[in-house]
């Protein structure tokens, strides 16, 4: 491992996994942490517990801002464990000189998003640091959710599951890139940033047999699939032609030399659903604007355990690897 921390170590991909495993897991090792779920399942399986810090730049971007992101990020990680987000903390580190007006705007966004989740902030912390010690504002949120459906776990995926995605991929990463680089788009590309609890609740109410769910944030869908293949000791086989990508995102990917499967999302999730319930799950997801183009992208096999295979549009196949390199820093 490199002697100093690199930007790539925060990319949600391979270098990031190495940092977490060799430094943090090594020191903090325990049964709950090693499950590597989106949120820790605690208190006899009744509560989900998760934390996330937000450093996005720019603070305001098409479709959302750092405040909305800070609530969606933590609430979505709870929702992915079948939990109803309930109590959050809010810690901010603010740079001296930051505009009070912008701070109010950010906090208002947080309030609106909390309401969508039916969650409240019950504890917080504020630190102000001298100019230059932090870039404008960093936010941390930690959340507790009440698990409504037990047993959802990315360690339990088997060949009786199919793999779905809730919508077209890569909008958040592409929108941040465009905003940062000042790229004028003729289209209306927005971040997908959204709270996912409503969709999860509808899936649970319809009694869909959910094996696992994960929001495809840093590292995108390819990071999620690779994590799942390893955690569940299965091979995930993905059909390239069924992966939904909008034209705008595809255009940005061409410019960047990226693949949409590696780009970050903030309101898009991957689902492993019992085969029998594929149509039922899709019917539920299609009722929501955010997931109206939800689709099956693959299945589970034992061809190459721990790996993800992508069947290309040309009829060939290759491994879909965990993203490496810097990708886009400070997207969340
Ligand atoms: Mg997550």
């Amino acid at each position: 491992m490199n002697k100093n921390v690199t930007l790539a170590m925060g990319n949600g991909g391979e270098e990031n996994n190495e940092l977490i495993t060799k430094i943090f897991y090594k020191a903090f090792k325990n049964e709950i942490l090693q499950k590597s779920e989106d949120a820790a399942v605690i208190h006899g399986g009744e509560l989900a517990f998760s934390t996330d810090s937000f450093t996005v730049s720019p603070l305001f971007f098409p479709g959302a801002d750092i405040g909305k992101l800070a609530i969606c990020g933590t609430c979505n990680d709870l929702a992915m464990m079948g939990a109803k987000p309930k109590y959050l903390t809010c810690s901010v580190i603010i740079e001296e000189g930051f505009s009070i007006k912008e701070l109010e705007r950010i906090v208002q966004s947080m309030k609106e998003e909390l309401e969508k989740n039916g969650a409240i902030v019950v504890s917080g912390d504020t630190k102000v640091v001298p100019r230059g010690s932090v870039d404008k504002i960093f936010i941390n949120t930690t959340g507790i959710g009440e698990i409504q459906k037990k047993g959802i776990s990315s360690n339990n995926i088997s060949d009786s599951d199919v793999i779905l995605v809730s919508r077209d991929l890569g909008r958040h990463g592409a929108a941040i890139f465009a905003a940062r680089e000042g790229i004028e788009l003729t289209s209306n590309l927005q971040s997908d940033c959204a709270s996912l609890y409503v969709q999860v609740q509808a899936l649970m109410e319809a009694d869909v047999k959910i094996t696992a769910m994960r929001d495809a944030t840093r590292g995108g869908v390819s990071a999620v699939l690779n994590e799942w293949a390893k955690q569940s000791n299965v091979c995930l086989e993905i059909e390239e032609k069924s992966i939904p990508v909008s034209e705008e995102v595809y255009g940005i990917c061409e410019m960047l030399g990226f693949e949409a499967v590696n780009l970050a999302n903030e309101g898009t999730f991957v689902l492993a659903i019992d085969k029998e319930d594929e149509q039922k799950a899709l019917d539920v997801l299609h009722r929501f604007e955010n997931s109206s183009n939800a689709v099956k992208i693959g299945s589970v096999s034992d061809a190459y355990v721990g790996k993800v295979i992508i069947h290309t549009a040309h009829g060939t196949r290759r491994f879909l690897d965990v993203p490496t390199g810097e990708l886009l820093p400070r997207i969340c």
Side-chain angles (χ1 to χ4, degrees), residues 41-237:
V41 175
I42 56 169
H43 207 261
E46 284 170 18
L47 300 176
F49 189 33
S50 188
T51 189
D52 214 330
S53 297
F54 299 85
T55 65
V56 70
S57 173
L59 298 175
F60 301 90
F61 48 89
D65 59 44
I66 191 172
K68 179 176 179 181
L69 192 61
I71 300 302
C72 290
T74 289
C75 288
N76 288 348
D77 281 344
L78 298 172
M80 294 300 102
M81 301 309 294
K84 155 94 185 61
K86 299 276 280 191
Y87 304 107
L88 268 72
T89 65
C90 165
S91 293
V92 292
I93 302 175
I94 312 170
E95 184 185 19
E96 172 193 13
F98 189 65
S99 147
I100 289 286
K101 208 168 179 185
E102 289 193 354
L103 186 59
E104 276 178 331
R105 214 174 128 194
I106 291 165
V107 174
Q108 181 61 28
S109 293
M110 294 179 85
K111 174 182 149 75
E112 285 166 19
E113 212 56 34
L114 281 163
E115 283 165 3
K116 285 182 198 160
N117 283 279
I120 53 175
V121 166
V122 292
S123 181
D125 181 51
T126 51
K127 295 276 171 7
V128 179
V129 296
R131 221 177 278 271
S133 304
V134 69
D135 186 16
K136 299 184 184 77
I137 184 171
F138 289 172
I139 303 177
N140 172 278
T141 54
T142 298
I144 290 184
E146 198 173 57
I147 294 184
Q148 296 178 323
K149 186 177 158 60
K150 285 190 181 181
I152 294 176
S153 167
S154 47
N155 295 279
N156 296 343
I157 299 162
S158 75
D159 60 6
S160 58
D161 292 313
V162 288
I163 307 296
L164 317 180
V165 291
S166 67
R167 66 169 300 164
D168 56 299
L169 310 186
R171 282 183 178 271
H172 182 72
I176 293 293
F177 177 78
R180 208 181 280 170
E181 301 296 316
I183 296 172
E184 291 289 334
L185 294 168
T186 44
S187 62
N188 178 28
L189 175 63
Q190 292 204 334
S191 166
D192 60 318
C193 182
S195 290
L196 297 171
Y197 177 67
V198 273
Q199 277 123 303
V200 172
Q201 186 184 29
L203 288 165
M204 292 190 296
E205 277 170 8
D207 218 11
V208 170
K209 293 194 200 83
I210 305 165
T211 303
M213 296 183 285
R214 184 161 293 185
D215 54 342
T217 53
R218 260 179 319 172
V221 166
S222 55
V224 172
L225 295 173
N226 275 284
E227 287 159 13
W228 281 7
K230 284 198 184 68
Q231 287 179 266
S232 289
N233 279 313
V234 291
C235 176
L236 300 180
E237 301 205 32

Side-chain angles (χ1 to χ4, degrees), residues 21-39:
T21 315
K22 292 191 177 162
I23 306 288
F24 294 97
Y25 277 24
K26 193 177 150 199
F28 298 146
K29 191 157 66 179
N30 65 70
E31 213 179 290
I32 301 172
L33 186 65
Q34 277 166 318
K35 288 224 159 73
S36 289
E37 306 281 8
D38 251 2

